[in-house]
Amino acid sequence: MSQPQHGVSLASVYQARRRIAGQVVRTPLIRSQALSERFDAEILLKLETQQPTGAFKLRGAANMIAALIERHGRDALAAGVTTASTGNHGRAVAYAAARLGVPATICLSRLVPANKVAAIEALGAEVRRVGESQDEAFGEVERLVCERGMTLIPPFDDPRIAAGQGTIGLELMEDAPDLDRVIVGLSGGGLLGGIGAAVKAIRPEANITGVSLAHGAAMWESLQAGRPVAVEEVASLADSLGGGIGLDNHCTFELVREVMDDHCQVSEEAIAHAMVDILEHEKLLVEGAAAVGLAALAAHGLDVRGERVALVLSGNGVALETLDRARAMVGR
């Protein structure tokens, strides 16, 4: 079987699982009694919040770094690794690099919350705050690659990153092989694309539903335009879903276009309600990007009655002031 143009196949996802074994957690898939009753469906929660770095991003970062060492040797990373990030990917790269004794420099826009900056610095990585968007931060990454010979670990647009995130899909299919739907936050497309590639290869009839911000949804706007486009990045409770997809996107745009069945955009109010609901009823602290699946169910009236549905709770990197803002928005 030929390799797809975007470079992500079921075989590459299985290869990723082999590489990252022992570095990441095989996260639980738990049934939510409250949500199952509320939506007349079986609602399952995939707890990527239990990763060592608090988010799914560790899977992709660990896979890419391991793949580079596997192919080129450890000396290939002697100058260090670098990336731009809205927080979770930077923390994942810093964590994976620290385990291997590789220097890491993480470039962040000024929109990234202080708690995520501190978490990255605590892992020993150098942090650079540059510009007001992820695209601007990426300009600094490009300079580090050109001038210092550092190795880029992209946040999403690489088949090795997407394949690493796709290991979530393998776990979903093993724990719930009869899933009808997976609802996933959509930003750069590595998470949804990787999960979708694995799930669709094993269970083609499963529905992959993407959820984006109401404003600044770069991947969705690009899909509508039929090509990658730039959008203005805006502050959001779901800050991890911000940022562009790159005008030269070579992997995730095609991957998402291939595997995503439907899509919702959710408001800040819907995200706030979902964050508070998950905290109050599930006793789980999640960031806004992790709550958008529930926001889509609650605000868009997706008809999931009788279905077996997995919501990917992608991370727990929420600042207390952000949670307080969400609670104030819903009056609780």
Side-chain angles (χ1 to χ4, degrees):
M1 183 179 295
S2 62
Q3 181 81 344
Q5 184 176 354
H6 48 66
V8 183
S9 64
L10 184 60
S12 71
V13 177
Y14 274 112
Q15 188 176 42
R17 179 154 74 172
R18 174 186 59 78
R19 289 195 189 106
I20 67 178
Q23 299 184 63
V24 305
V25 171
R26 192 187 198 287
T27 56
L29 182 67
I30 64 170
R31 183 179 188 274
S32 168
Q33 182 67 25
L35 295 179
S36 295
E37 292 177 356
R38 178 177 172 184
F39 296 106
D40 193 21
E42 184 172 15
I43 306 297
L44 307 172
L45 307 178
K46 181 62 170 167
L47 303 186
E48 284 299 293
T49 52
Q50 294 194 11
Q51 291 296 347
T53 57
F56 74 94
K57 287 284 192 177
L58 183 58
R59 295 175 184 262
N63 182 49
M64 183 162 181
I65 293 174
L68 289 168
I69 292 173
E70 186 178 277
R71 182 166 185 177
H72 303 292
R74 194 175 301 272
D75 289 347
L77 301 182
V81 295
T82 184
T83 195
S85 170
T86 52
N88 286 335
H89 177 65
R91 189 175 178 186
V93 171
Y95 180 92
R99 284 175 59 97
L100 296 170
V102 175
T105 299
I106 312 301
C107 301
L108 309 173
S109 83
R110 296 186 184 93
L111 290 178
V112 176
N115 67 303
K116 293 189 175 183
V117 178
I120 293 170
E121 290 177 330
L123 292 168
E126 178 186 353
V127 171
R128 298 193 177 194
R129 303 297 294 272
V130 181
E132 302 300 327
S133 72
Q134 191 168 345
D135 288 340
E136 290 183 62
F138 233 104
E140 178 68 4
V141 170
E142 291 171 346
R143 189 187 70 79
L144 292 173
V145 170
C146 291
E147 296 182 8
R148 294 193 183 181
M150 300 187 81
T151 299
L152 168 64
I153 309 297
F156 52 86
D157 191 32
D158 188 281
R160 293 160 292 189
I161 296 292
Q165 323 305 21
T167 59
I168 297 171
L170 295 182
E171 294 173 15
L172 288 172
M173 289 291 90
E174 290 166 352
D175 292 345
D178 57 347
L179 269 180
D180 296 299
R181 185 187 300 264
V182 184
I183 305 180
V184 192
L186 177 63
S187 179
L191 178 61
L192 183 145
I195 290 175
V199 170
K200 289 287 191 181
I202 296 169
R203 183 171 167 80
E205 64 269 35
N207 182 291
I208 304 297
T209 300
V211 188
S212 300
L213 302 176
H215 304 287
M219 179 61 81
W220 180 240
E221 294 296 331
S222 297
L223 291 169
Q224 296 292 93
R227 57 181 174 80
V229 297
V231 300
E232 181 180 357
E233 188 173 349
V234 298
S236 172
L237 290 170
D239 54 90
S240 295
L241 296 187
I245 70 166
L247 297 181
D248 60 347
N249 186 291
H250 66 279
C251 171
T252 56
F253 175 76
E254 291 297 336
L255 180 58
V256 170
R257 183 154 64 174
E258 177 181 306
V259 303
M260 187 170 72
D261 295 294
D262 51 26
H263 177 268
C264 299
Q265 289 180 275
V266 292
S267 68
E268 292 297 294
E269 291 75 15
I271 296 169
H273 274 281
M275 291 174 69
V276 174
D277 282 350
I278 292 171
L279 179 60
E280 291 186 348
H281 299 294
E282 308 299 331
K283 309 306 178 188
L284 295 170
L285 181 65
V286 299
E287 59 191 77
V292 295
L294 175 55
L297 282 178
H300 284 270
L302 289 173
D303 186 4
V304 297
R305 289 172 296 177
E307 290 187 6
R308 201 170 195 208
V309 180
L311 306 183
V312 179
L313 302 192
S314 52
N316 63 16
V318 58
L320 290 180
E321 55 265 31
T322 303
L323 181 61
D324 288 343
R325 182 154 52 97
R327 294 181 68 179
M329 289 174 69
V330 302
R332 300 211 296 273

